[in-house]
C-alpha cells in the first residue's frame, strides 16, 4: 500500500492502485528474459503467430475496407456505440433485463431490502454485493436444459461508501454486514418460454448464501490439516469460516462450481509476531493488505492474534449447488495465490485440466492436471478429482512454445534447501515455488477459457502499467501496458502436454492512437476495440466473448462491457461491441446457457469512480451516486445486479 492514500480513493480505484505494488521480487529481468531480449526483434516479429499474420494490420491501415470485411464475420448483431451512460445498453434487437440485485431476498423468510436499515442477519439471506462470476447449472442435474437451472454467483468485495448511508468509517456493525455481503449465492432461475424472460425463484430449496461471516468450509488436498493451517479455533487445520474476494470461477462437467479467492491479502491487518515463520510467505502475497477494517473487529484477521489464518485463504473453493446442505471445499491441490478464476478442460481420454490466472502484476499463469479422469456416468466418482494431481506454472519461450513446469515437492529446487518440507509447503507458497522454477512474469493474468472445438485456450492479460521499458518479455511485449492483451495457446486438444504453442491474439487499446501500439483484426470498428480484458466466455458455437474492467478510464470516453472477438479466418482479432455497463461499473461473469439463447452477465460496482465520468465528475457516495442503476429510485442506492440477455425474437445470441 506504499504511497496509496486509501481514505481519498473509492474502493475500486484503491484496489486497482494497490495492485500497482507488485509483490514479485523477481519481476526484474530473469536470465531467460535477458536471453529473450537479445532477439526481441525476432520475437516480436513472430509474436502474432503464423496463422494470425495475414489478418493483422497496422493501426494506420486499420480502418480501410472495414465495412466490406464486416460482412463476412461470424457475428451478425448490429454493433453498439461505445460510450458512457447512466443506464446499461445492449445491441439492437436484444433485451437486457435485471434478474437479481444486491439485497434481493433469496431464502425463506428473508426480509425485503432496506438500505437505510441493513443488518448482517438480513444480508446473509439476501443476494450479496458486487456480483462477479456467474455459473449456470441446468435443472434437473445432468440435463442440458437451457430454460431452468441454478446460478452460482460470486460476491467479490464491497464498496462501503456506496452501500451505507452517511458512511465515514467502519464499525463492528458495518464490518459484520460487509462479511455477510461477501461470498457466494446459489439461486434457482427459470425462463418463461421461447423468447421469454428470466426470473429467479425466491425461497427455492436450492437457494443459499455462502458468506465470509458464518459458512463453514472444508479444506481438502495435500495442504489440509497441515500445521501452517491450524489456528486457535481450528486445531485440525481443515475447517475455515468463510470465503473471501471470490472473483471469477468455473463450472465442472460433474455439476459443481469453482469459486476463486483472489485478493485475500486485503482483508488482513496487524503484524506477525517478531521472527514468525510466515513473514517471507506473507510478504510475497502482500499480506497484510489492510484494504478493509475487518482485523480491527474480528481478531482472526489480525496477524498478531491469529498468524496462520491468512494461510487458509487464497484457495479455490468447490461448491455442489445441487445439494444445499453440502459443505463447500477449499481444494488446496490447485495452489494458493490470487486466484482469478478457473476453466475446466476435459481431454478426449477424460483428462481433467484446470487453467488459472494469478492476477497481480508480474505474476503467473497456472494449470492443474488431475491424476484421475472424468467419469460421465458416475457423478460421485468425480467429486474429489481436484484433490490429487499436478499443478504447473507457465514459462513462455521465444520459439513460440510454452513449457508447463510442475510444482512438485522434491523436484528441482522445490526441496528443503529452499524451505519446502512437503507438497503442502509447495502449495501454501505456490508463488515462491513458481519463482524458483523460472515462470514468466505476466501482465496480470485474469480469466482463461478454452475452446473445446479447436483446443485453443485464451488468456486475458488485463494490463500492467508497471512494466518498464526494457522489462518486456516475449509474452508481454509492451512496456507500460495500460490496455492489456490476449494470448492464445494451441494445445491440439490435449490439455496435459508438457509443452504447448502460443501466440498473441490481440494487443488491446485504441488502434487509432499510436501511443497505444494496439494491434487488431481488420474488421474492428471505432466501437469494436477495447482495453483491459478481464472475464471471457466461449459460446457453444466456439466464439469468444470478452468482458472488460478498466476500459472506462476517463481518457477512453467509453464504458466497460462485452465485446465479441473473432478468432478464426481473415477477420481474426476483430472486435465488436455488444453490451455496455452503466457508469462506474465493470462487467463480469459472461455465461451462456447450453443453447446460446440466453446470456447472463454481472454488473459490478455501478456508480463507482464517479470522478472518472466527465458528466458527473465527483466522487460517488450512497447519497450522491453517479447513477442509481438499476432502480433509478431516489430512495435506492446503485445495486450490483445480474442481467439476463435474450434475443427479442428468440434464437442464439450474436
Ligand atoms: Fe477480481 Fe482480477 O479481478
Ligand atoms: Ca476479474
Ligand atoms: Ca480486473
Amino acid at each position: 500500500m506504499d504511497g496509496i492514500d486509501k481514505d481519498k480513493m473509492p474502493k475500486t480505484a484503491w484496489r486497482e492502485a494497490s495492485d500497482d505494488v507488485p509483490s514479485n521480487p523477481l519481476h526484474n529481468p530473469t536470465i531467460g528474459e535477458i536471453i529473450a531480449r537479445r532477439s526481441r526483434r525476432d520475437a516480436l516479429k513472430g509474436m502474432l503467430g503464423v496463422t494470425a499474420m495475414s489478418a493483422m494490420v497496422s493501426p494506420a491501415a486499420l480502418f480501410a475496407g472495414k465495412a466490406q470485411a464486416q460482412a463476412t464475420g461470424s457475428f451478425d448483431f448490429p454493433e453498439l456505440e461505445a460510450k458512457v451512460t447512466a443506464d446499461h445498453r445492449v445491441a439492437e434487437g436484444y433485451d437486457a433485463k435485471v434478474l437479481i440485485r444486491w439485497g434481493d431476498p433469496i431464502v425463506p423468510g428473508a426480509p425485503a431490502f432496506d438500505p437505510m436499515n441493513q443488518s448482517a442477519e438480513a444480508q446473509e439471506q439476501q443476494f450479496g454485493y458486487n456480483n462477479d462470476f456467474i455459473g449456470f447449472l441446468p435443472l434437473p442435474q445432468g440435463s442440458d436444459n437451457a430454460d431452468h437451472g441454478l446460478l452460482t454467483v460470486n460476491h467479490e468485495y464491497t464498496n462501503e461508501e456506496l452501500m451505507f448511508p452517511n458512511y465515514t468509517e467502519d464499525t463492528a456493525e458495518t464490518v459484520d454486514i460487509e462479511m455477510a455481503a461477501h461470498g457466494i449465492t446459489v439461486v434457482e432461475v427459470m425462463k418463461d418460454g421461447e423468447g421469454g424472460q428470466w426470473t429467479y425463484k425466491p425461497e427455492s430449496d436450492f437457494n443459499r448464501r455462502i458468506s465470509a461471516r458464518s459458512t463453514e468450509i472444508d479444506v481438502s488436498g495435500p495442504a489440509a490439516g497441515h500445521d501452517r493451517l491450524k489456528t486457535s479455533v481450528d486445531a485440525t487445520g481443515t475447517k475455515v469460516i468463510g470465503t473471501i474476494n471470490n472473483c471469477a470461477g468455473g463450472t465442472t462437467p460433474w455439476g459443481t462450481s469453482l469459486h476463486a479467492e483472489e485478493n485475500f491479502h486485503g482483508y488482513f491487518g496487524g503484524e506477525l509476531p517478531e521472527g514468525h515463520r510466515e513473514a517471507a510467505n506473507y510478504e510475497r502475497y502482500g499480506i497484510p493488505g489492510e484494504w478493509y477494517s475487518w482485523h480491527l473487529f474480528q481478531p482472526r484477521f489480525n496477524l498478531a492474534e491469529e498468524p496462520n489464518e491468512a494461510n487458509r485463504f487464497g484457495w479455490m473453493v468447490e461448491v455442489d449447488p445441487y445439494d444445499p446442505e453440502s459443505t463447500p471445499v477449499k481444494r488446496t491441490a490447485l495452489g494458493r495465490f490470487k486466484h482469478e478464476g478457473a476453466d475446466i478442460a476435459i481431454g478426449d481420454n477424460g483428462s481433467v485440466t484446470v487453467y488459472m490466472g494469478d492476477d497481480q502484476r508480474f505474476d503467473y499463469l497456472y494449470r492443474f492436471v488431475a491424476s484421475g479422469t472424468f467419469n460421465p456416468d458416475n457423478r460421485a466418482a468425480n467429486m474429489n478429482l481436484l484433490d490429487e494431481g499436478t499443478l504447473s506454472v507457465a514459462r513462455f519461450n521465444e520459439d513460440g512454445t510454452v513449457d508447463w513446469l510442475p510444482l512438485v515437492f522434491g523436484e528441482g529446487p522445490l526441496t528443503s534447501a529452499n524451505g519446502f518440507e512437503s507438497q503442502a509447503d509447495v502449495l501454501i507458497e505456490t508463488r515462491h515455488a513458481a519463482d524458483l522454477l523460472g515462470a514468466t512474469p505476466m501482465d496480470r493474468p485474469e480469466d482463461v477459457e478454452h475452446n473445446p472445438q479447436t483446443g485453443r485456450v485464451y488468456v486475458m492479460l488485463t494490463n500492467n502499467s508497471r512494466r518498464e521499458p526494457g522489462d518486456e518479455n516475449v509474452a508481454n511485449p509492451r512496456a507500460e501496458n495500460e490496455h492489456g492483451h490476449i494470448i492464445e495457446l494451441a494445445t491440439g486438444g490435449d490439455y496435459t502436454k508438457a509443452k504447448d504453442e502460443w501466440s498473441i491474439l490481440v494487443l488491446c487499446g485504441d488502434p487509432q492512437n499510436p501511443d497505444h501500439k494496439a494491434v487488431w483484426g481488420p474488421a474492428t470498428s471505432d466501437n469494436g476495440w477495447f482495453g483491459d480484458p478481464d472475464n471471457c466466455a466461449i459460446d457453444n458455437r466456439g466464439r469468444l466473448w470478452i468482458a472488460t474492467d478498466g476500459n472506462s478510464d476517463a481518457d477512453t470516453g467509453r464504458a466497460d462491457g462485452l465485446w465479441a472477438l473473432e478468432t478464426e479466418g481473415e477477420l481474426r482479432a476483430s472486435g465488436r461491441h455488444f453490451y455496455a455497463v452503466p457508469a462506474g461499473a465493470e462487467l463480469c461473469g459472461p455465461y451462456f446457457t447450453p443453447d446460446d439463447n440466453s446470456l447472463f452477465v454481472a454488473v459490478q460496482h455501478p456508480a463507482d469512480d464517479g470522478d472518472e465520468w466527465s458528466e458527473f465528475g465527483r466522487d460517488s457516495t450512497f447519497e450522491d451516486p453517479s447513477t442509481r442503476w438499476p432502480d433509478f429510485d431516489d430512495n435506492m442506492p446503485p445495486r450490483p445486479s445480474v442481467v439476463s440477455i435474450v434475443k427479442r425474437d428468440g434464437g442464439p445470441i450474436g
Side-chain angles (χ1 to χ4, degrees):
M1 301 299 296
D2 303 339
I4 297 167
D5 184 349
K6 52 192 187 190
D7 295 333
K8 294 204 173 122
M9 302 169 85
K11 179 61 67 61
T12 305
W14 159 29
R15 187 176 60 125
E16 194 74 10
S18 63
D19 267 344
D20 249 339
V21 184
S23 63
N24 185 349
L26 301 180
H27 76 270
N28 291 323
T30 62
I31 289 173
E33 287 164 29
I34 291 164
I35 294 166
R37 191 171 302 153
R38 241 185 267 149
S39 54
R40 169 140 300 120
R41 216 161 18 157
D42 292 344
L44 287 172
K45 201 165 65 185
M47 85 187 180
L48 296 170
V50 177
T51 54
M53 282 308 274
S54 62
M56 292 292 178
V57 293
S58 68
L62 187 69
F63 290 91
K66 76 185 177 196
Q68 183 191 356
Q70 271 182 334
T72 56
S74 58
F75 301 95
D76 70 357
F77 61 86
E79 186 164 56
L80 195 66
E81 183 185 350
K83 62 179 180 182
V84 185
T85 57
D87 206 350
H88 67 161
R89 297 176 297 119
V90 68
E92 187 67 34
Y94 293 82
D95 285 324
K97 173 181 175 286
V98 174
L99 173 58
I100 187 166
R101 304 160 295 186
W102 165 49
D104 280 337
I106 60 161
V107 298
F113 182 52
D114 178 356
M116 300 304 289
N117 296 287
Q118 183 61 312
S119 71
E121 288 72 24
Q123 178 64 78
E124 272 199 330
Q125 303 170 69
Q126 300 164 338
F127 196 64
Y129 204 78
N130 272 346
N131 33 219
D132 196 304
F133 170 70
I134 304 170
F136 175 82
L137 290 143
L139 284 170
Q141 192 270 318
S143 74
D144 61 357
N145 194 347
D147 296 335
H148 186 197
L150 300 175
L151 292 190
T152 58
V153 183
N154 281 349
H155 303 292
E156 187 184 21
Y157 70 108
T158 48
N159 293 76
E160 295 73 40
E161 72 285 359
L162 296 173
M163 288 176 74
F164 299 119
N166 305 309
Y167 177 80
T168 52
E169 61 181 7
D170 274 320
T171 61
E173 190 185 6
T174 63
V175 164
D176 212 20
I177 296 169
E178 290 162 30
M179 293 179 72
H182 278 67
I184 301 165
T185 289
V186 179
V187 61
E188 183 177 346
V189 294
M190 63 274 289
K191 188 175 159 201
D192 178 25
E194 176 72 15
Q197 295 291 349
W198 287 86
T199 53
Y200 80 95
K201 183 178 174 184
E203 307 198 357
S204 159
D205 287 344
F206 289 108
N207 292 359
R208 72 184 291 194
R209 277 299 319 283
I210 294 163
S211 80
R213 176 174 177 257
S214 65
T215 309
E216 186 170 278
I217 302 188
D218 285 340
V219 183
S220 73
H226 193 278
D227 284 349
R228 297 173 74 182
L229 268 62
K230 292 177 181 169
T231 66
S232 63
V233 297
D234 175 27
T236 71
T238 62
K239 298 278 181 198
V240 180
I241 298 300
T243 178
I244 46 178
N245 211 264
N246 302 97
C247 190
T251 54
T252 69
W254 52 92
T256 64
S257 54
L258 298 176
H259 305 266
E261 293 187 326
E262 193 190 15
N263 290 304
F264 65 98
H265 66 298
Y267 298 81
F268 292 88
E271 284 183 25
L272 280 175
E274 184 73 23
H276 197 276
R277 75 161 292 185
E278 302 299 348
N281 167 25
Y282 285 3
E283 187 177 358
R284 182 65 180 84
Y285 290 95
I287 302 166
E290 289 193 12
W291 292 7
Y292 287 83
S293 309
W294 295 12
H295 64 288
L296 301 178
F297 304 97
Q298 300 278 338
R300 69 186 174 111
F301 292 101
N302 183 339
L303 300 184
E305 305 260 349
E306 200 65 87
N308 282 351
E309 186 74 3
N311 276 337
R312 292 145 64 88
F313 294 88
W315 303 105
M316 187 66 69
V317 182
E318 185 169 14
V319 173
D320 179 1
Y322 292 107
D323 177 3
E325 302 299 320
S326 62
T327 303
V329 186
K330 300 197 180 195
R331 301 283 183 194
T332 63
L334 275 60
R336 175 170 169 268
F337 45 87
K338 296 181 186 174
H339 278 288
E340 170 68 24
D343 174 53
I344 296 87
I346 305 296
D348 290 341
N349 54 2
S351 63
V352 177
T353 298
V354 187
Y355 292 100
M356 301 173 286
D358 181 357
D359 179 8
Q360 186 158 1
R361 288 164 175 84
F362 305 107
D363 265 290
Y364 307 134
L365 175 68
Y366 294 86
R367 174 187 93 173
F368 171 84
V369 179
S371 302
T373 55
F374 169 57
N375 183 342
D377 303 317
N378 183 354
R379 184 173 192 240
N382 301 315
M383 295 303 273
N384 294 310
L385 274 173
L386 301 183
D387 277 345
E388 205 178 306
T390 304
L391 181 67
S392 302
V393 67
R395 181 181 62 204
F396 291 83
N397 305 310
E398 61 180 305
D399 66 356
T401 62
V402 52
D403 291 315
W404 292 103
L405 311 170
L407 282 76
V408 176
F409 170 66
E411 290 188 9
L414 307 184
T415 64
S416 56
N418 286 307
F420 301 104
E421 302 298 339
S422 65
Q423 184 64 19
D425 286 335
V426 170
L427 294 167
I428 291 166
E429 297 191 58
T430 299
R431 284 183 167 183
H432 180 209
D435 295 340
L436 291 166
L437 292 176
T440 301
M442 308 297 288
D443 288 346
R444 297 186 58 197
E446 299 245 32
D447 214 348
V448 182
E449 290 287 328
H450 78 291
N451 182 339
Q453 297 172 13
T454 62
R456 296 197 207 139
V457 180
Y458 297 91
V459 183
M460 307 297 120
L461 288 315
T462 198
N463 59 53
N464 184 351
S465 53
R466 290 292 179 94
R467 189 178 290 283
E468 293 181 0
D471 204 10
E472 307 92 335
N473 60 46
V474 284
N476 302 274
R478 280 189 298 188
E480 289 148 12
N481 182 7
E482 299 272 359
H483 303 284
H485 59 288
I486 299 173
I487 286 179
E488 181 187 72
L489 310 180
T491 69
D494 178 354
Y495 306 106
T496 66
K497 296 198 308 291
K499 197 183 265 292
D500 292 318
E501 294 180 353
W502 67 276
S503 59
I504 290 179
L505 175 60
V506 61
L507 295 173
C508 300
D510 181 354
Q512 287 188 311
N513 183 336
D515 292 344
H516 289 195
K517 301 188 179 76
V519 181
W520 290 89
T524 308
S525 77
D526 298 349
N527 301 306
W529 65 267
F530 56 83
D532 309 87
D534 188 328
N535 297 120
C536 60
I538 304 276
D539 67 22
N540 296 283
R541 287 174 284 173
R543 305 178 309 172
L544 179 60
W545 298 76
I546 290 155
T548 65
D549 168 21
N551 189 39
S552 56
D553 298 353
D555 62 349
T556 66
R558 47 185 58 205
D560 278 314
L562 191 68
W563 276 260
L565 190 65
E566 303 278 0
T567 57
E568 306 296 329
E570 290 183 359
L571 302 189
R572 183 176 151 91
S574 297
R576 191 186 285 215
H577 192 19
F578 181 72
Y579 175 80
V581 295
E586 72 173 89
L587 189 69
C588 303
Y591 203 97
F592 288 88
T593 51
D595 59 1
D596 281 343
N597 285 6
S598 304
L599 166 66
F600 300 105
V601 294
V603 174
Q604 196 187 68
H605 59 78
D608 199 6
D609 283 342
D611 59 340
E612 288 273 313
W613 183 26
S614 56
E615 277 188 36
F616 189 71
R618 57 191 184 275
D619 286 342
S620 272
T621 62
F622 181 94
E623 288 75 21
D624 179 31
S626 63
T627 176
R628 290 190 186 272
W629 187 89
D631 303 300
F632 295 106
D633 175 339
D634 286 347
N635 297 312
M636 275 292 168
R639 299 165 80 181
S641 303
V642 168
V643 170
S644 56
I645 298 175
V646 297
K647 203 170 181 180
R648 204 163 288 148
D649 53 3
I653 306 267

